[in-house]
Amino acid sequence: MAERGKQTVRDLRRGSRSTLLQRLYFEGPLSRQELGQVSGLSAGSVSNVVGELLADGLVEECGSVESDGGRPRILLQVPPGRAHLVGVDVGETQVRVALFDLGLTELAASDHPLSDCGHDSDHVVELILTGLAEVLESTGTDPATVLGVGVGVPGIVEQGDPGTDGAGIVVHSQTVDWDAVPIGRMLRAGTDLPLYVDNGAKTLGQAEMWFGAGRGARHAVVALFGSGVGACVIAEGARFRGATSSAGEWGHTKVHVGGRLCRCGSRGCLEAYVGAEALVERWGRAPAGSSEKAGLAALLAAAEAGEADAVELLAEAAEYFGAAIADLINLFNPERIVIGGWAGLMLGPRLLPAIRDAATAYALRFPRAQTSIDLGRLGPDAVTVGAATLPLWHFLQSGGELPARLAAAAAG
């Protein structure tokens, strides 16, 4: 038996596989020599591990480049068609399920508006499972090729025992009245695919850090501005989770003691002043029966037309948002703050200059000068992309570990 705290040969092998897979995934195509340079592994280790990954079908040769005086160097990459990923966004008004290849190219999507049942947990789980079946059937995808299903949800996520394969995941969300909802067990009753669940703002943050406006930063905050408000804090390149995974509930920090009632039941929350739902409600002039997005678009159009009440409301929202960003700057000293979410991207072009000005006015001068504030680059469906990174990250960290059915198919 290996001594506690000491790495076994298997651990070292898995670590080497993970290192090379991650380098190839994010920086490839690369040659074996380049892999040795960027990974720090010896030429012999690179050769052995690459041989394993090629044999497992997790890496493929994809051309060559000329070398200085020697034979051409063979380039390697992670084949995007090797496996599939599913991302789910449990949003404020709909459940979106998308199927991706390993390169995170979207292959199919299924959008299901929430009915009068709202966020009833049984209803939400039914929509997720329906959407999952639809994207697999529409593309003819064998479930055995799916590495896992990632789900972004509102609220705080307890991961449970890792040995339960996701069945122990529990969600707490006051804003949608979820009190210890056993979503892992509920989903497991309808699918045997590996399950990964996290807060939607955190999945958005993962996507923007890997592929969007946060790429290359070690310290950042990615803010989700939708019906509600949330944040993903990145410290030393990793998501900061806190003691019980509730770090990032920025929308429920207080900006006005005794202020407006928030969906969470408290008063004076940031979300009650800058969330899209709150903005449309406070304006009070959205067309009857319109969706929240349509209402926000109408508010923006009214402000663009110079209507005083709309202009004043958005100016106030920008100041609240900028002051709250100043708090993030003072607390976390990030290199970048990225504003995403469908509402953030819709209002950003108009509000971003005022948000930056307010952040400058309320933050300490030195850390503010080191922080850029920009809009996200991945569009309004970035939560879905981020959710798909949950099984992808497990795949990369594990050194290419495959679900049992996919591994058996590969062996066959």
Side-chain angles (χ1 to χ4, degrees):
M1 179 182 295
E3 292 182 39
R4 182 176 298 176
K6 285 194 173 183
Q7 286 191 316
T8 64
V9 172
R10 182 178 180 181
D11 293 331
L12 292 171
R13 173 177 166 273
R14 174 174 169 168
S16 296
R17 285 171 63 99
S18 175
T19 296
L20 296 191
L21 264 182
Q22 290 183 51
R23 290 292 186 176
L24 285 172
Y25 187 85
F26 291 109
E27 302 169 33
L30 296 171
S31 67
R32 289 171 174 78
Q33 183 179 37
E34 290 170 323
L35 276 173
Q37 293 169 349
V38 299
S39 70
L41 297 177
S42 68
S45 294
V46 169
S47 180
N48 290 336
V49 174
V50 165
E52 290 181 8
L53 295 173
L54 284 167
D56 292 342
L58 303 180
V59 166
E60 66 181 5
E61 296 181 347
C62 60
S64 62
V65 291
E66 296 296 328
S67 62
D68 296 333
R71 291 183 299 175
R73 295 175 185 166
I74 303 299
L75 293 176
L76 305 165
Q77 68 177 8
V78 177
R82 179 65 179 87
H84 297 90
L85 307 157
V86 174
V88 180
D89 176 13
V90 178
E92 301 288 348
T93 60
Q94 70 170 10
V95 171
R96 177 177 175 80
V97 182
L99 177 71
F100 301 88
D101 67 13
L102 204 54
L104 282 179
T105 297
E106 185 178 293
L107 305 177
S110 175
D111 296 323
H112 289 270
L114 295 170
S115 71
D116 293 338
C117 299
H119 282 87
D120 174 77
S121 56
D122 289 317
H123 176 53
V124 169
V125 167
E126 179 185 359
L127 295 183
I128 293 173
L129 294 174
T130 299
L132 174 60
E134 288 176 351
V135 297
L136 293 177
E137 182 179 355
S138 68
T139 56
T141 299
D142 183 352
T145 67
V146 178
L147 294 179
V149 179
V151 185
V153 298
I156 300 165
V157 181
E158 281 188 277
Q159 295 298 330
D161 182 356
T164 62
D165 194 25
I169 297 171
V170 174
V171 180
H172 310 265
S173 179
Q174 290 175 218
T175 59
V176 297
D177 200 26
W178 283 12
D179 184 13
V181 169
I183 195 168
R185 177 172 56 78
M186 296 168 73
L187 287 170
R188 177 57 65 228
T191 180
D192 59 358
L193 293 173
L195 298 173
Y196 305 85
V197 183
D198 208 341
N199 173 269
K202 290 186 173 68
T203 72
L204 169 73
Q206 184 74 81
E208 287 287 354
M209 292 302 295
W210 279 11
F211 308 110
R215 189 166 188 176
R218 297 286 296 168
H219 300 271
V221 179
V222 181
L224 186 154
F225 179 13
S227 298
V229 178
C232 175
V233 178
I234 307 296
E236 293 291 349
R239 287 176 292 172
F240 177 69
R241 311 192 69 87
T244 57
S245 197
S246 69
E249 290 293 334
W250 177 52
H252 301 290
T253 55
K254 303 302 177 261
V255 296
H256 192 305
V257 174
R260 297 187 78 248
L261 182 66
C262 180
R263 297 182 304 165
C264 73
S266 186
R267 289 189 175 273
C269 297
L270 174 65
E271 185 172 297
Y273 289 88
V274 305
E277 180 180 295
L279 286 174
V280 173
E281 178 186 317
R282 293 174 68 198
W283 183 46
R285 292 176 50 196
S290 63
S291 67
E292 199 168 279
K293 289 186 178 181
L296 195 63
L299 169 59
L300 181 59
E304 295 288 349
E307 296 183 20
D309 58 344
V311 171
E312 182 179 347
L313 178 60
L314 291 182
E316 180 191 80
E319 183 165 14
Y320 273 121
F321 208 97
I325 283 178
D327 290 339
L328 294 175
I329 292 171
N330 292 341
L331 283 169
F332 297 109
N333 186 206
E335 302 163 60
R336 296 180 203 168
I337 290 181
V338 178
I339 299 172
W342 66 266
L345 298 179
M346 182 182 291
L347 294 178
R350 177 183 177 89
L351 298 190
L352 189 57
I355 289 171
R356 286 172 173 156
D357 288 345
T360 300
Y362 290 108
L364 293 171
R365 288 192 299 273
F366 181 75
R368 171 66 184 96
Q370 318 306 314
T371 306
S372 63
I373 304 172
D374 295 294
L375 296 180
R377 297 177 186 168
L378 299 183
D381 296 323
V383 171
T384 316
V385 178
T389 70
L390 300 177
L392 173 60
W393 182 232
H394 174 80
F395 170 75
L396 295 174
Q397 273 200 316
S398 68
E401 180 179 295
L402 299 173
R405 287 185 300 175
L406 185 51

